Amino acid sequence: MPRPLARQLFVEVGHRCAIPTCRATPLEIAHIVPWHRVQRHDFQNMIVLCPNCHTRFDRGDIDRQAMFRYKELLRLPNPNRVAPDDPSPRAGLIRAYRMFQSETIRWQESISLLVSAVCLSSFGFPTGNLGPVRIAAVARAATDKLGELGDEDVAEAANNVFDWYRCWASDVFDLLPSAFNATEDDYEDRREERFMLFADLHEEVCAALDLDPTELDFFEARRDDQELPKVSLGTRGFWGADE
Ligand SMILES: [Zn+2]
Protein backbone atom coordinates (compact mmCIF):
# COMPACT_ATOMS: atom_id res chain seq x y z
CA MET A 1 0.00 0.00 0.00
CA PRO A 2 1.32 3.47 -0.87
CA ARG A 3 2.67 5.32 2.15
CA PRO A 4 0.77 8.57 1.46
CA LEU A 5 -2.50 6.64 1.47
CA ALA A 6 -1.64 4.93 4.76
CA ARG A 7 -0.67 8.27 6.26
CA GLN A 8 -3.93 9.84 5.10
CA LEU A 9 -5.88 7.01 6.73
CA PHE A 10 -3.99 7.33 10.03
CA VAL A 11 -4.47 11.09 10.07
CA GLU A 12 -8.18 10.65 9.32
CA VAL A 13 -8.58 8.86 12.67
CA GLY A 14 -6.02 10.90 14.57
CA HIS A 15 -3.87 7.77 14.96
CA ARG A 16 -6.55 6.03 17.02
CA CYS A 17 -8.96 3.16 16.35
CA ALA A 18 -11.81 4.55 14.26
CA ILE A 19 -14.53 3.16 16.54
CA PRO A 20 -15.43 6.24 18.62
CA THR A 21 -15.95 4.29 21.85
CA CYS A 22 -12.65 2.41 21.46
CA ARG A 23 -9.84 4.67 20.27
CA ALA A 24 -7.28 2.02 21.20
CA THR A 25 -3.84 1.43 19.70
CA PRO A 26 -1.83 -0.19 18.09
CA LEU A 27 -3.40 0.19 14.69
CA GLU A 28 -4.08 -1.85 11.59
CA ILE A 29 -5.59 -0.87 8.28
CA ALA A 30 -8.71 -2.79 7.25
CA HIS A 31 -10.61 -3.01 3.98
CA ILE A 32 -14.34 -2.58 4.59
CA VAL A 33 -15.29 -4.59 1.51
CA PRO A 34 -12.58 -7.29 1.68
CA TRP A 35 -9.39 -7.09 -0.38
CA HIS A 36 -10.04 -10.36 -2.19
CA ARG A 37 -13.22 -8.81 -3.64
CA VAL A 38 -12.02 -5.31 -4.52
CA GLN A 39 -8.32 -5.99 -5.24
CA ARG A 40 -7.45 -2.33 -4.82
CA HIS A 41 -6.64 0.26 -2.21
CA ASP A 42 -9.40 2.82 -2.15
CA PHE A 43 -9.45 5.44 0.62
CA GLN A 44 -13.24 5.30 0.97
CA ASN A 45 -13.14 1.54 1.45
CA MET A 46 -10.39 1.58 4.08
CA ILE A 47 -10.44 2.26 7.76
CA VAL A 48 -7.97 2.17 10.64
CA LEU A 49 -8.79 -0.16 13.53
CA CYS A 50 -7.09 -1.60 16.59
CA PRO A 51 -6.39 -5.37 16.35
CA ASN A 52 -9.30 -6.14 18.67
CA CYS A 53 -11.90 -4.22 16.63
CA HIS A 54 -10.32 -5.57 13.43
CA THR A 55 -10.83 -9.14 14.66
CA ARG A 56 -14.38 -8.40 15.75
CA PHE A 57 -15.06 -6.93 12.31
CA ASP A 58 -13.61 -10.03 10.58
CA ARG A 59 -15.72 -12.26 12.83
CA GLY A 60 -18.85 -10.28 11.96
CA ASP A 61 -19.42 -8.89 15.47
CA ILE A 62 -19.33 -5.51 13.73
CA ASP A 63 -21.08 -5.73 10.38
CA ARG A 64 -20.11 -4.00 7.15
CA GLN A 65 -22.94 -1.45 7.22
CA ALA A 66 -21.84 -0.40 10.69
CA MET A 67 -18.25 -0.12 9.51
CA PHE A 68 -19.28 2.12 6.60
CA ARG A 69 -21.19 4.21 9.11
CA TYR A 70 -18.03 4.58 11.24
CA LYS A 71 -16.17 5.60 8.11
CA GLU A 72 -18.86 8.15 7.31
CA LEU A 73 -18.68 9.58 10.83
CA LEU A 74 -14.99 10.30 10.31
CA ARG A 75 -15.92 12.85 7.70
CA LEU A 76 -18.01 14.79 10.16
CA PRO A 77 -16.29 16.98 12.70
CA ASN A 78 -16.01 15.31 16.10
CA PRO A 79 -19.26 16.34 17.84
CA ASN A 80 -17.44 16.37 21.16
CA ARG A 81 -14.90 18.92 20.02
CA VAL A 82 -16.77 21.69 18.26
CA ALA A 83 -14.68 24.74 17.46
CA PRO A 84 -16.16 27.92 18.94
CA ASP A 85 -15.97 29.63 15.55
CA ASP A 86 -17.36 26.74 13.47
CA PRO A 87 -20.21 28.44 11.55
CA SER A 88 -22.07 25.24 10.53
CA PRO A 89 -25.68 24.76 11.77
CA ARG A 90 -24.53 21.47 13.28
CA ALA A 91 -21.87 23.14 15.41
CA GLY A 92 -24.38 25.85 16.34
CA LEU A 93 -26.84 23.26 17.66
CA ILE A 94 -24.15 21.47 19.68
CA ARG A 95 -22.97 24.76 21.18
CA ALA A 96 -26.57 25.73 22.03
CA TYR A 97 -27.05 22.33 23.67
CA ARG A 98 -23.96 22.75 25.83
CA MET A 99 -24.98 26.28 26.73
CA PHE A 100 -28.44 25.05 27.72
CA GLN A 101 -26.92 22.36 29.93
CA SER A 102 -24.50 24.66 31.69
CA GLU A 103 -27.17 27.32 32.29
CA THR A 104 -29.71 24.87 33.70
CA ILE A 105 -27.05 23.35 35.98
CA ARG A 106 -26.08 26.85 37.12
CA TRP A 107 -29.76 27.49 37.84
CA GLN A 108 -29.94 24.23 39.79
CA GLU A 109 -26.94 25.22 41.89
CA SER A 110 -28.39 28.65 42.62
CA ILE A 111 -31.75 27.19 43.72
CA SER A 112 -29.96 24.63 45.92
CA LEU A 113 -28.01 27.43 47.57
CA LEU A 114 -31.23 29.32 48.15
CA VAL A 115 -32.84 26.26 49.73
CA SER A 116 -29.86 25.97 52.09
CA ALA A 117 -30.04 29.66 52.88
CA VAL A 118 -33.75 29.44 53.74
CA CYS A 119 -33.15 26.36 55.88
CA LEU A 120 -30.36 28.10 57.75
CA SER A 121 -32.12 31.42 58.15
CA SER A 122 -34.17 32.03 61.28
CA PHE A 123 -35.64 35.17 59.68
CA GLY A 124 -37.58 33.42 56.92
CA PHE A 125 -36.87 34.12 53.29
CA PRO A 126 -33.50 35.77 52.80
CA THR A 127 -33.93 39.08 51.04
CA GLY A 128 -32.02 40.18 47.99
CA ASN A 129 -32.01 36.76 46.38
CA LEU A 130 -32.65 37.65 42.80
CA GLY A 131 -29.78 35.47 41.59
CA PRO A 132 -31.98 32.47 40.74
CA VAL A 133 -34.47 34.76 39.00
CA ARG A 134 -31.82 36.28 36.78
CA ILE A 135 -30.33 32.87 36.10
CA ALA A 136 -33.81 31.54 35.24
CA ALA A 137 -34.06 34.24 32.59
CA VAL A 138 -30.71 33.20 31.14
CA ALA A 139 -31.82 29.55 31.18
CA ARG A 140 -35.06 30.59 29.41
CA ALA A 141 -33.06 32.30 26.69
CA ALA A 142 -30.80 29.24 26.36
CA THR A 143 -33.91 27.03 26.08
CA ASP A 144 -35.36 29.21 23.32
CA LYS A 145 -32.08 29.30 21.45
CA LEU A 146 -31.74 25.50 21.58
CA GLY A 147 -35.35 25.10 20.42
CA GLU A 148 -34.73 27.50 17.58
CA LEU A 149 -31.64 25.64 16.31
CA GLY A 150 -33.02 22.15 16.90
CA ASP A 151 -36.23 20.63 15.63
CA GLU A 152 -39.63 20.46 17.35
CA ASP A 153 -38.65 17.41 19.40
CA VAL A 154 -35.52 19.13 20.68
CA ALA A 155 -37.56 22.21 21.57
CA GLU A 156 -40.11 20.13 23.47
CA ALA A 157 -37.50 18.13 25.38
CA ALA A 158 -35.60 21.31 26.31
CA ASN A 159 -38.83 22.90 27.51
CA ASN A 160 -39.53 19.85 29.66
CA VAL A 161 -36.20 20.33 31.43
CA PHE A 162 -36.82 24.04 31.81
CA ASP A 163 -40.33 23.46 33.21
CA TRP A 164 -39.01 20.96 35.71
CA TYR A 165 -36.62 23.54 37.11
CA ARG A 166 -39.25 26.26 37.00
CA CYS A 167 -41.65 24.14 39.08
CA TRP A 168 -38.95 23.44 41.61
CA ALA A 169 -37.83 27.10 41.76
CA SER A 170 -41.46 28.21 42.15
CA ASP A 171 -41.96 25.81 45.07
CA VAL A 172 -38.87 27.26 46.70
CA PHE A 173 -39.95 30.85 46.11
CA ASP A 174 -43.44 30.07 47.41
CA LEU A 175 -41.80 28.52 50.50
CA LEU A 176 -43.71 25.26 50.06
CA PRO A 177 -42.69 22.99 52.94
CA SER A 178 -42.10 20.12 50.51
CA ALA A 179 -39.31 22.11 48.90
CA PHE A 180 -37.44 22.26 52.20
CA ASN A 181 -38.31 19.04 53.99
CA ALA A 182 -37.17 16.56 51.39
CA THR A 183 -36.00 13.15 52.54
CA GLU A 184 -33.08 11.31 50.97
CA ASP A 185 -35.63 9.33 48.93
CA ASP A 186 -37.24 12.53 47.68
CA TYR A 187 -33.84 13.81 46.57
CA GLU A 188 -33.16 10.54 44.84
CA ASP A 189 -36.52 10.67 43.03
CA ARG A 190 -35.87 14.20 41.86
CA ARG A 191 -32.40 13.35 40.67
CA GLU A 192 -33.88 10.46 38.72
CA GLU A 193 -36.61 12.67 37.20
CA ARG A 194 -34.08 15.26 36.15
CA PHE A 195 -31.79 12.63 34.72
CA MET A 196 -34.59 11.18 32.59
CA LEU A 197 -35.49 14.60 31.22
CA PHE A 198 -31.87 15.36 30.34
CA ALA A 199 -31.57 11.89 28.79
CA ASP A 200 -34.67 12.51 26.64
CA LEU A 201 -33.21 15.79 25.49
CA HIS A 202 -29.90 14.13 24.71
CA GLU A 203 -31.65 11.59 22.51
CA GLU A 204 -33.54 14.30 20.65
CA VAL A 205 -30.43 16.41 20.09
CA CYS A 206 -28.57 13.34 18.79
CA ALA A 207 -31.50 12.45 16.53
CA ALA A 208 -31.45 15.98 15.11
CA LEU A 209 -27.71 15.61 14.48
CA ASP A 210 -28.18 12.12 13.05
CA LEU A 211 -25.89 10.69 15.73
CA ASP A 212 -26.22 7.69 17.97
CA PRO A 213 -26.62 8.95 21.57
CA THR A 214 -23.31 7.31 22.48
CA GLU A 215 -21.46 9.35 19.88
CA LEU A 216 -22.07 12.63 21.64
CA ASP A 217 -20.90 12.98 25.24
CA PHE A 218 -23.89 13.24 27.55
CA PHE A 219 -22.32 16.17 29.32
CA GLU A 220 -19.31 18.00 28.08
CA ALA A 221 -16.34 17.02 30.20
CA ARG A 222 -15.89 20.04 32.43
CA ARG A 223 -12.37 21.32 32.28
CA ASP A 224 -10.72 22.60 35.42
CA ASP A 225 -10.57 26.12 34.06
CA GLN A 226 -14.30 26.13 33.35
CA GLU A 227 -15.41 26.94 36.86
CA LEU A 228 -18.92 28.26 37.16
CA PRO A 229 -19.20 31.91 38.04
CA LYS A 230 -19.91 32.53 41.70
CA VAL A 231 -23.50 33.53 42.35
CA SER A 232 -24.15 35.85 45.24
CA LEU A 233 -27.37 35.07 47.04
CA GLY A 234 -26.97 37.67 49.76
CA THR A 235 -26.31 35.09 52.48
CA ARG A 236 -22.90 36.44 53.40
CA GLY A 237 -23.75 36.21 57.09
CA PHE A 238 -24.23 32.49 56.83
CA TRP A 239 -21.35 31.60 54.58
CA GLY A 240 -18.67 33.77 56.16
CA ALA A 241 -17.56 37.23 55.16
CA ASP A 242 -14.74 36.46 52.78
CA GLU A 243 -16.85 36.02 49.67
ZN1 LIG B 1 -10.76 -0.58 18.45
Side-chain angles (χ1 to χ4, degrees):
M1 175 185 323
R3 273 186 77 97
L5 175 60
R7 186 179 303 116
Q8 199 188 348
L9 286 162
F10 285 123
V11 168
E12 181 189 33
V13 292
H15 285 74
R16 291 276 168 178
C17 175
I19 311 278
T21 44
C22 175
R23 297 278 181 239
T25 57
L27 300 170
E28 298 172 353
I29 294 176
H31 289 82
I32 305 177
V33 177
W35 166 255
H36 69 261
R37 274 176 47 196
V38 291
Q39 298 282 324
R40 62 193 193 102
H41 297 305
D42 173 12
F43 180 82
Q44 285 313 326
N45 186 45
M46 297 168 83
I47 193 163
V48 172
L49 299 172
C50 72
N52 185 33
C53 291
H54 197 167
T55 304
R56 294 178 63 206
F57 177 49
D58 288 342
R59 269 204 315 251
D61 294 354
I62 304 170
D63 72 16
R64 189 160 299 133
Q65 284 311 313
M67 198 53 80
F68 272 121
R69 176 80 178 121
Y70 285 128
K71 179 72 181 180
E72 195 181 297
L73 287 172
L74 295 171
R75 280 193 292 117
L76 299 171
N78 182 340
N80 295 311
R81 263 172 250 127
V82 172
D85 56 351
D86 183 338
S88 68
R90 203 179 161 75
L93 175 54
I94 294 172
R95 280 194 300 262
Y97 179 40
R98 295 314 185 195
M99 179 61 75
F100 171 85
Q101 287 182 321
S102 65
E103 290 305 340
T104 46
I105 297 304
R106 198 155 72 100
W107 193 16
Q108 174 179 319
E109 290 172 354
S110 73
I111 302 166
S112 295
L113 276 174
L114 187 52
V115 170
S116 311
V118 172
C119 290
L120 286 170
S121 170
S122 49
F123 311 108
F125 203 90
T127 52
N129 285 299
L130 288 175
V133 174
R134 276 198 303 271
I135 294 168
V138 176
R140 181 68 256 171
T143 310
D144 292 341
K145 178 85 179 164
L146 179 56
E148 197 182 296
L149 296 179
D151 54 22
E152 263 175 39
D153 295 333
V154 170
E156 191 186 332
N159 268 310
N160 289 342
V161 176
F162 180 86
D163 285 341
W164 190 92
Y165 281 104
R166 188 176 49 188
C167 286
W168 178 35
S170 296
D171 288 354
V172 171
F173 274 78
D174 291 344
L175 293 174
L176 290 193
S178 62
F180 302 95
N181 301 324
T183 64
E184 266 308 307
D185 283 349
D186 296 336
Y187 278 121
E188 200 43 57
D189 288 349
R190 286 185 208 170
R191 232 193 312 272
E192 179 74 18
E193 270 177 27
R194 262 196 321 253
F195 176 84
M196 295 311 290
L197 292 171
F198 274 111
D200 282 345
L201 174 62
H202 187 74
E203 283 182 18
E204 296 303 348
V205 169
C206 288
L209 292 164
D210 196 23
L211 290 175
D212 184 273
T214 57
E215 289 167 325
L216 182 66
D217 291 341
F218 189 17
F219 279 92
E220 194 171 29
R222 196 188 279 184
R223 300 195 315 266
D224 291 344
D225 59 344
Q226 259 180 332
E227 244 187 83
L228 293 171
K230 288 220 162 60
V231 177
S232 169
L233 294 174
T235 51
R236 203 177 278 263
F238 297 103
W239 307 116
D242 42 305
E243 223 191 304

